[in-house]
Amino acid sequence: MSTSTLSAAPTGAWQAWCADAAATARKLLANPLTAIGVAVIAVLVAVALFAPWIATHDPLRQDLFAALQPPGAAHWFGTDEFGRDVFSRLVHGTRITLFIVTLVTVVVGPLGMAVGVVSGYFGGKVDTLCMRVADVFLSFPSLVLALAFVAALGPGLDHAVLAIALTAWPPIARLARAEAMTLRQADFIVSAQLQGASHLRVLWRHLAPLCLPSVLVRLTMNMASVVLTAAGLGFLGLGAQPPLPEWGSMISEGRRYMLDSWWTVAAPGAAILAVSMAFNLLGDGLNDALDPRQSS
Amino acid sequence: MLPASSWPLRRRPLLALPALPALFAASWGAAHADSPDDQLLIGMSMNNLLSLDPAAATGLDAVTVACNLYDSLLEVDAAEATKLRPSLAQSWTVGEGGRRITLKLRSDARFASGRPLTALHAAWSLQRVLKLNLALASVWKSYGFTAANAATHIRTEDAETLVLDLPQATDPTLVLMTLATSMTGYVIDRDTVLAHEQRGDLGNAWLTTHAAGSGAFELEEWRPKELLTMRRAAHHWQPAAKLRRVVFRHMTESQTLRLMLMRGDLDVAGGMSAPDVRALAKQPDLVVEEVRRATMYYVAVNARHPRFADERVRRAVLRHLIDFQGVASGVLPFYGELQMRPVPPGLPASLPQPGYRFDPSSARRLLAEAGLADGFDTTIRVVAEAPFTGIATSLQATLAQGGIRASILPGTGNQVYGSMRERTFEIIVGRGGGGAEAHPHSGLRALVYNPDNRDSARLSNFQGWRTGYADAALNRLIEQALLTPEAAAQADLYREAQQRFDTRVGAIQPIAQMLDTQVLRRAVKGYRGHPSGATRLREVYKEGRRS
Amino acid sequence: MNLKWIRGGSSAGLALLGLLLLTFMIGRVMPLDPVLAIVGPDADRATYEQVYQQLGLDRPLWVQFGRYLGDLAQGDLGGSLLTGLPVTQDLARVLPATLELATLAILLGALLGVPLGVWAASHHKRWPDHVARVLGLVGHSTPIFWFGMMGLLVFYAWLGWAGGIGRIGLGFEGAVPRVSGLMLVDTLLAGDTAAFRSALRHLLLPACVLGLHSMAYLSRMTRSFMLAQLTQEYITTARVKGLSRRQVVWGHAFLNIRVQLLTILALAYGGLLEGAVLVETVFGWPGFGSYLTGSLLLGDMNAVMGSVLVIGLLFVALNLTADALYRVFDPRARS
């Protein structure tokens, strides 16, 4: 059995897709910056999965007598104003960050693609309606709109996720629509229709998989901004509520003690920076890898 | 870098780029925005400063500002809160069996507009409070005044005499104190205000953002939640203020206030967090001033909740499962002073602290008697700021030692006090109560008094109603004491009321009297924090140039 | 051409209407009670009801929205429920502050980001490219509020170089008459150099913080535009013809991306409004971002709707400008 995917001819769309993906992954990892990004994200996922074992203390346990301790042997990143261990809160915060990113992507991806593909394929009134709705959401800075939603729904992690998702789907929809519009005239689509495929079948089996790669790239590039928006909402007090160890709200709370206890703010800030950078690096790398013009 | 000569013409303006750091350096080298000698720069939170209209404004922030723009008929001494001093009124008498107060005004007072201040303006200002019928009118309504009887019961006898006929029997000293401490007692320039009246609102819209008073300062500019500036009044009936200008800047961040104080960009800062005050106290050029305010921090339970309806449970929670000493030393510094009675110290009727202690074994015994030997689950609602959260955290831990498992529900003021007004809470850590009058009645009325405990009564401005506990005998004592004309007998009745509050555990337990902590630069002289928040700045001056 | 403008305009108008409706709905769903904010927590029921009716909150939703639209048609954005001031007045006060900040920020971002992007593209895949990319990424990934806080700490608290909170030193507040609302302009017009310096010191740090974000974005986009140009044949031709690298990069490739850059600048300017919300919170900058956030958190519906309208208009205007610029400058797009 040959191990090289190049030598064996692909036997179906799925195998071809996998071979493509593997080649892309190799190209990705060849770039050192992207590799770093992937590594950081892998660490993030690992930390989130094994958080209870990696954390040294209970992130919610308060100890008012050990409040605002500097980093040391007992508390690697020091403690906050309630005596909670910052390192453990950081570690458990990865779960929240990952939760937000995953949930937003899982909601925005299918929703945006569905709206965009349908809109681009059918055109006409359906297209106009969908794009008008998308325009309403797009004609506004996403943080502010998310702010408005969360202020309306009440602060909370779920509401913040919902708000971010509601502001993040329009660009995906537009992208999918653009792709669908270019592809709907393609020969194989027309032939499928002539063979009697229903619209649903055409959309699901033919159009959607082709729009998927650019949507995925866009989604990955969006993840960084999702992390930042969520942190921004947390900073304004509208995201995850205390005592959840969300990084943005940790900065907001630690800000009151910043002058004397810099670690309460430095640690979560650095974490947000690292994760956001990693997603940006990955997104950039994906963009480069999949963009034919950039191959040298 | 590419030599400029080879740049295309259109990019030559970029040569200006190096000018930027030069500009930066130049501005740095310039003199600091010194806080000049004749200006006082104050940093405070203006989140609650929504209106400057004395009849409509609420919250302590408004008093801090407005007391410098307006004068009252009387003032309360900053050091001795029970002592009334003349201000616009030279003298006053109480007659007709305590039902009539006659005030004699000075003849030389003028408004900022130059108009002489007469009793007519004073009467109109008070009548206006009742006609507009906004939040601050409630205290006058409790004395029996209404919009209908305002014209007859608040009247002038001549240009210098104001007469108040109290519609129902009450303690006239209390009314005088209200005149002295409440914003409703400010005398407004009637003619100026009526000239700006819109749609019969008695100038409410105009006075929200303007001032027409006789105070030591005039309003210069107000940008809501940003900045308020006042300048020295041109004609003032007292010696002119020493400061030329006062600038209030809206700042809510404690660290920001601290930074600006340290850098000398501020002279006075209030509302900072305890760790910041502690750090600043160490600096030689800064002084910390703490003033007791009338509001109290408290822990309250909902006596209408089946579990807390049992007196034994309330006693266990409120008397034995709060670590008063721990909270006093760990959480309260710079925020409040330990206070376990609804009547603050310093009054003739004040009693010493009752000595409640954290005692989990007694608590457990009481809970067992009430049939809750295994404890129970409950919730503590609390506004998500210091020191409320610190008190709630401590409470959670001490309740746990009594077998009660409490979860903390932080929220905004709206959410927390909203649940209190709806009587849907279980345990709450809050702050409130105490009118600014240095009279036992104001604290008792706000915190304890509950004449009608039914849901339909909706006495949502009484903490007593909000917590759902009504003690008829205690109510009667409070009412009786108010009407007792003889001072010693009145004090006895108030002491009896406090003792009854002690023995019959109500639903609210005061923990601390609020402290207003201000940090000043040592160069600021003559600043006296006032217990009612009315810190008048006319005596304040700054000495020397900052080195 | 005219038909396109009309169509573009009407679709923008519809989008705005939809936005207003959305915000109106949000405003009514809010769990915040503006009446309580006005009367205070200790008011009695009667007072509450009185103010409730004064504000017109007892009418049905559709009536309220209809009345709002009617007022809007006359240029009346309503009064801020809390301050009682007309929202138009509030906005006229806060918008220049944000515009001043955003304009300086985008200038800084462009002056630093565009050359960086060009430099990175012209040294593609070598170390300058990587350095520029990392710098750009760091700028793009840093939480802007955290960066602002660090900036304040280092440059104000420790070094004393930058000004503190606010647009100008407290001692100068109100000393200079307000003409345009832009502090730098007003202080210059008044001839008060000390005030000007104070205003500059206060403006530089927040502008740098905001500018960092746009610098990152602009350098990324410039780099990718330049890369697209530099791989084309005419570049090779130019090199072969003997033009120096400098001339090729700046004299040929850069000129061809001007159009795209302008449109990106317009979009980046709009994106700055997002960052402004957080930066204004950190620096106590009394601008549009603070106003919007404050109104949202207090449930001041008229102020929120007015702000939404303005920001929507700004965004639409920026998008239309970007489109127009594209059409005006790029001959290929005209047809």
PDB file of all heavy atoms in Angstrom, chain C residues 281-303:
ATOM      1  N   THR C 281     -13.035  54.629  26.777  1.00  0.00           N
ATOM      2  CA  THR C 281     -13.291  54.187  28.147  1.00  0.00           C
ATOM      3  C   THR C 281     -12.020  54.243  28.962  1.00  0.00           C
ATOM      4  O   THR C 281     -12.009  54.715  30.093  1.00  0.00           O
ATOM      5  CB  THR C 281     -13.828  52.743  28.155  1.00  0.00           C
ATOM      6  OG1 THR C 281     -14.939  52.662  27.298  1.00  0.00           O
ATOM      7  CG2 THR C 281     -14.228  52.335  29.545  1.00  0.00           C
ATOM      8  N   VAL C 282     -10.920  53.787  28.377  1.00  0.00           N
ATOM      9  CA  VAL C 282      -9.667  53.756  29.124  1.00  0.00           C
ATOM     10  C   VAL C 282      -9.155  55.164  29.403  1.00  0.00           C
ATOM     11  O   VAL C 282      -8.686  55.454  30.501  1.00  0.00           O
ATOM     12  CB  VAL C 282      -8.599  52.961  28.336  1.00  0.00           C
ATOM     13  CG1 VAL C 282      -7.252  53.080  28.991  1.00  0.00           C
ATOM     14  CG2 VAL C 282      -8.990  51.505  28.243  1.00  0.00           C
ATOM     15  N   PHE C 283      -9.249  56.059  28.428  1.00  0.00           N
ATOM     16  CA  PHE C 283      -8.663  57.389  28.562  1.00  0.00           C
ATOM     17  C   PHE C 283      -9.653  58.446  29.016  1.00  0.00           C
ATOM     18  O   PHE C 283      -9.309  59.625  29.053  1.00  0.00           O
ATOM     19  CB  PHE C 283      -8.042  57.820  27.230  1.00  0.00           C
ATOM     20  CG  PHE C 283      -6.760  57.108  26.915  1.00  0.00           C
ATOM     21  CD1 PHE C 283      -6.775  55.944  26.160  1.00  0.00           C
ATOM     22  CD2 PHE C 283      -5.559  57.575  27.388  1.00  0.00           C
ATOM     23  CE1 PHE C 283      -5.600  55.271  25.877  1.00  0.00           C
ATOM     24  CE2 PHE C 283      -4.377  56.916  27.104  1.00  0.00           C
ATOM     25  CZ  PHE C 283      -4.396  55.762  26.352  1.00  0.00           C
ATOM     26  N   GLY C 284     -10.861  58.039  29.361  1.00  0.00           N
ATOM     27  CA  GLY C 284     -11.828  59.026  29.789  1.00  0.00           C
ATOM     28  C   GLY C 284     -12.056  60.093  28.730  1.00  0.00           C
ATOM     29  O   GLY C 284     -12.278  61.256  29.050  1.00  0.00           O
ATOM     30  N   TRP C 285     -11.991  59.680  27.493  1.00  0.00           N
ATOM     31  CA  TRP C 285     -12.130  60.637  26.389  1.00  0.00           C
ATOM     32  C   TRP C 285     -13.618  60.887  26.171  1.00  0.00           C
ATOM     33  O   TRP C 285     -14.359  59.957  25.893  1.00  0.00           O
ATOM     34  CB  TRP C 285     -11.515  60.038  25.126  1.00  0.00           C
ATOM     35  CG  TRP C 285     -11.223  61.002  24.044  1.00  0.00           C
ATOM     36  CD1 TRP C 285     -11.993  61.262  22.946  1.00  0.00           C
ATOM     37  CD2 TRP C 285     -10.075  61.839  23.925  1.00  0.00           C
ATOM     38  NE1 TRP C 285     -11.407  62.202  22.167  1.00  0.00           N
ATOM     39  CE2 TRP C 285     -10.216  62.579  22.726  1.00  0.00           C
ATOM     40  CE3 TRP C 285      -8.937  62.043  24.698  1.00  0.00           C
ATOM     41  CZ2 TRP C 285      -9.269  63.494  22.301  1.00  0.00           C
ATOM     42  CZ3 TRP C 285      -7.999  62.941  24.266  1.00  0.00           C
ATOM     43  CH2 TRP C 285      -8.158  63.668  23.082  1.00  0.00           C
ATOM     44  N   PRO C 286     -14.074  62.137  26.316  1.00  0.00           N
ATOM     45  CA  PRO C 286     -15.516  62.378  26.243  1.00  0.00           C
ATOM     46  C   PRO C 286     -16.034  62.414  24.821  1.00  0.00           C
ATOM     47  O   PRO C 286     -16.528  63.421  24.342  1.00  0.00           O
ATOM     48  CB  PRO C 286     -15.647  63.756  26.896  1.00  0.00           C
ATOM     49  CG  PRO C 286     -14.359  64.436  26.607  1.00  0.00           C
ATOM     50  CD  PRO C 286     -13.310  63.374  26.575  1.00  0.00           C
ATOM     51  N   GLY C 287     -15.907  61.304  24.136  1.00  0.00           N
ATOM     52  CA  GLY C 287     -16.294  61.276  22.734  1.00  0.00           C
ATOM     53  C   GLY C 287     -17.520  60.433  22.515  1.00  0.00           C
ATOM     54  O   GLY C 287     -18.237  60.053  23.440  1.00  0.00           O
ATOM     55  N   PHE C 288     -17.710  60.108  21.266  1.00  0.00           N
ATOM     56  CA  PHE C 288     -18.890  59.403  20.834  1.00  0.00           C
ATOM     57  C   PHE C 288     -18.972  58.005  21.442  1.00  0.00           C
ATOM     58  O   PHE C 288     -20.046  57.539  21.825  1.00  0.00           O
ATOM     59  CB  PHE C 288     -18.836  59.320  19.300  1.00  0.00           C
ATOM     60  CG  PHE C 288     -20.036  58.702  18.710  1.00  0.00           C
ATOM     61  CD1 PHE C 288     -21.220  59.380  18.665  1.00  0.00           C
ATOM     62  CD2 PHE C 288     -19.991  57.420  18.199  1.00  0.00           C
ATOM     63  CE1 PHE C 288     -22.334  58.809  18.104  1.00  0.00           C
ATOM     64  CE2 PHE C 288     -21.092  56.838  17.644  1.00  0.00           C
ATOM     65  CZ  PHE C 288     -22.275  57.535  17.598  1.00  0.00           C
ATOM     66  N   GLY C 289     -17.822  57.336  21.522  1.00  0.00           N
ATOM     67  CA  GLY C 289     -17.804  55.975  22.072  1.00  0.00           C
ATOM     68  C   GLY C 289     -18.276  55.946  23.506  1.00  0.00           C
ATOM     69  O   GLY C 289     -19.105  55.120  23.896  1.00  0.00           O
ATOM     70  N   SER C 290     -17.753  56.878  24.327  1.00  0.00           N
ATOM     71  CA  SER C 290     -18.175  56.930  25.723  1.00  0.00           C
ATOM     72  C   SER C 290     -19.656  57.244  25.817  1.00  0.00           C
ATOM     73  O   SER C 290     -20.370  56.690  26.646  1.00  0.00           O
ATOM     74  CB  SER C 290     -17.433  58.019  26.495  1.00  0.00           C
ATOM     75  OG  SER C 290     -16.080  57.870  26.358  1.00  0.00           O
ATOM     76  N   TYR C 291     -20.088  58.157  24.964  1.00  0.00           N
ATOM     77  CA  TYR C 291     -21.487  58.574  25.002  1.00  0.00           C
ATOM     78  C   TYR C 291     -22.394  57.391  24.698  1.00  0.00           C
ATOM     79  O   TYR C 291     -23.380  57.134  25.414  1.00  0.00           O
ATOM     80  CB  TYR C 291     -21.700  59.691  23.979  1.00  0.00           C
ATOM     81  CG  TYR C 291     -23.089  60.257  23.953  1.00  0.00           C
ATOM     82  CD1 TYR C 291     -23.572  61.007  25.005  1.00  0.00           C
ATOM     83  CD2 TYR C 291     -23.940  60.038  22.865  1.00  0.00           C
ATOM     84  CE1 TYR C 291     -24.851  61.530  24.984  1.00  0.00           C
ATOM     85  CE2 TYR C 291     -25.212  60.556  22.838  1.00  0.00           C
ATOM     86  CZ  TYR C 291     -25.667  61.309  23.903  1.00  0.00           C
ATOM     87  OH  TYR C 291     -26.926  61.828  23.884  1.00  0.00           O
ATOM     88  N   LEU C 292     -22.019  56.645  23.657  1.00  0.00           N
ATOM     89  CA  LEU C 292     -22.853  55.505  23.269  1.00  0.00           C
ATOM     90  C   LEU C 292     -22.864  54.446  24.361  1.00  0.00           C
ATOM     91  O   LEU C 292     -23.915  53.943  24.750  1.00  0.00           O
ATOM     92  CB  LEU C 292     -22.324  54.927  21.957  1.00  0.00           C
ATOM     93  CG  LEU C 292     -23.059  53.716  21.414  1.00  0.00           C
ATOM     94  CD1 LEU C 292     -24.500  54.050  21.143  1.00  0.00           C
ATOM     95  CD2 LEU C 292     -22.406  53.237  20.144  1.00  0.00           C
ATOM     96  N   THR C 293     -21.678  54.094  24.861  1.00  0.00           N
ATOM     97  CA  THR C 293     -21.607  53.068  25.899  1.00  0.00           C
ATOM     98  C   THR C 293     -22.383  53.494  27.138  1.00  0.00           C
ATOM     99  O   THR C 293     -23.152  52.717  27.703  1.00  0.00           O
ATOM    100  CB  THR C 293     -20.143  52.818  26.308  1.00  0.00           C
ATOM    101  OG1 THR C 293     -19.336  52.871  25.147  1.00  0.00           O
ATOM    102  CG2 THR C 293     -19.989  51.480  26.958  1.00  0.00           C
ATOM    103  N   GLY C 294     -22.170  54.750  27.539  1.00  0.00           N
ATOM    104  CA  GLY C 294     -22.880  55.245  28.706  1.00  0.00           C
ATOM    105  C   GLY C 294     -24.383  55.190  28.521  1.00  0.00           C
ATOM    106  O   GLY C 294     -25.114  54.739  29.407  1.00  0.00           O
ATOM    107  N   SER C 295     -24.853  55.612  27.366  1.00  0.00           N
ATOM    108  CA  SER C 295     -26.300  55.598  27.135  1.00  0.00           C
ATOM    109  C   SER C 295     -26.842  54.186  27.121  1.00  0.00           C
ATOM    110  O   SER C 295     -27.922  53.913  27.638  1.00  0.00           O
ATOM    111  CB  SER C 295     -26.639  56.257  25.798  1.00  0.00           C
ATOM    112  OG  SER C 295     -26.027  57.490  25.698  1.00  0.00           O
ATOM    113  N   LEU C 296     -26.087  53.262  26.525  1.00  0.00           N
ATOM    114  CA  LEU C 296     -26.530  51.871  26.491  1.00  0.00           C
ATOM    115  C   LEU C 296     -26.665  51.308  27.890  1.00  0.00           C
ATOM    116  O   LEU C 296     -27.641  50.653  28.232  1.00  0.00           O
ATOM    117  CB  LEU C 296     -25.518  51.025  25.716  1.00  0.00           C
ATOM    118  CG  LEU C 296     -25.802  50.843  24.238  1.00  0.00           C
ATOM    119  CD1 LEU C 296     -24.667  50.109  23.591  1.00  0.00           C
ATOM    120  CD2 LEU C 296     -27.101  50.090  24.047  1.00  0.00           C
ATOM    121  N   LEU C 297     -25.645  51.578  28.713  1.00  0.00           N
ATOM    122  CA  LEU C 297     -25.651  50.980  30.033  1.00  0.00           C
ATOM    123  C   LEU C 297     -26.704  51.607  30.931  1.00  0.00           C
ATOM    124  O   LEU C 297     -27.048  51.055  31.966  1.00  0.00           O
ATOM    125  CB  LEU C 297     -24.258  51.110  30.666  1.00  0.00           C
ATOM    126  CG  LEU C 297     -23.209  50.254  29.970  1.00  0.00           C
ATOM    127  CD1 LEU C 297     -21.831  50.532  30.538  1.00  0.00           C
ATOM    128  CD2 LEU C 297     -23.535  48.786  30.132  1.00  0.00           C
ATOM    129  N   LEU C 298     -27.200  52.797  30.566  1.00  0.00           N
ATOM    130  CA  LEU C 298     -28.216  53.413  31.404  1.00  0.00           C
ATOM    131  C   LEU C 298     -29.608  53.269  30.818  1.00  0.00           C
ATOM    132  O   LEU C 298     -30.584  53.691  31.428  1.00  0.00           O
ATOM    133  CB  LEU C 298     -27.896  54.896  31.603  1.00  0.00           C
ATOM    134  CG  LEU C 298     -26.730  55.161  32.544  1.00  0.00           C
ATOM    135  CD1 LEU C 298     -26.329  56.607  32.462  1.00  0.00           C
ATOM    136  CD2 LEU C 298     -27.146  54.830  33.965  1.00  0.00           C
ATOM    137  N   GLY C 299     -29.689  52.719  29.618  1.00  0.00           N
ATOM    138  CA  GLY C 299     -31.000  52.549  29.009  1.00  0.00           C
ATOM    139  C   GLY C 299     -31.596  53.833  28.468  1.00  0.00           C
ATOM    140  O   GLY C 299     -32.809  53.979  28.391  1.00  0.00           O
ATOM    141  N   ASP C 300     -30.749  54.767  28.074  1.00  0.00           N
ATOM    142  CA  ASP C 300     -31.235  56.046  27.555  1.00  0.00           C
ATOM    143  C   ASP C 300     -31.549  55.874  26.077  1.00  0.00           C
ATOM    144  O   ASP C 300     -30.693  56.071  25.216  1.00  0.00           O
ATOM    145  CB  ASP C 300     -30.138  57.102  27.762  1.00  0.00           C
ATOM    146  CG  ASP C 300     -30.608  58.495  27.410  1.00  0.00           C
ATOM    147  OD1 ASP C 300     -31.680  58.619  26.796  1.00  0.00           O
ATOM    148  OD2 ASP C 300     -29.902  59.447  27.756  1.00  0.00           O
ATOM    149  N   MET C 301     -32.776  55.542  25.786  1.00  0.00           N
ATOM    150  CA  MET C 301     -33.120  55.080  24.460  1.00  0.00           C
ATOM    151  C   MET C 301     -32.920  56.125  23.366  1.00  0.00           C
ATOM    152  O   MET C 301     -32.384  55.819  22.306  1.00  0.00           O
ATOM    153  CB  MET C 301     -34.569  54.607  24.446  1.00  0.00           C
ATOM    154  CG  MET C 301     -34.794  53.489  23.489  1.00  0.00           C
ATOM    155  SD  MET C 301     -36.434  52.826  23.564  1.00  0.00           S
ATOM    156  CE  MET C 301     -37.463  54.265  23.409  1.00  0.00           C
ATOM    157  N   ASN C 302     -33.355  57.340  23.613  1.00  0.00           N
ATOM    158  CA  ASN C 302     -33.213  58.360  22.578  1.00  0.00           C
ATOM    159  C   ASN C 302     -31.756  58.562  22.206  1.00  0.00           C
ATOM    160  O   ASN C 302     -31.410  58.702  21.036  1.00  0.00           O
ATOM    161  CB  ASN C 302     -33.813  59.688  23.051  1.00  0.00           C
ATOM    162  CG  ASN C 302     -35.306  59.705  22.905  1.00  0.00           C
ATOM    163  OD1 ASN C 302     -35.873  58.856  22.238  1.00  0.00           O
ATOM    164  ND2 ASN C 302     -35.958  60.655  23.532  1.00  0.00           N
ATOM    165  N   ALA C 303     -30.904  58.608  23.199  1.00  0.00           N
ATOM    166  CA  ALA C 303     -29.480  58.810  22.927  1.00  0.00           C
ATOM    167  C   ALA C 303     -28.918  57.640  22.129  1.00  0.00           C
ATOM    168  O   ALA C 303     -28.148  57.824  21.182  1.00  0.00           O
ATOM    169  CB  ALA C 303     -28.717  58.979  24.233  1.00  0.00           C
TER     170      ALA C 303
END
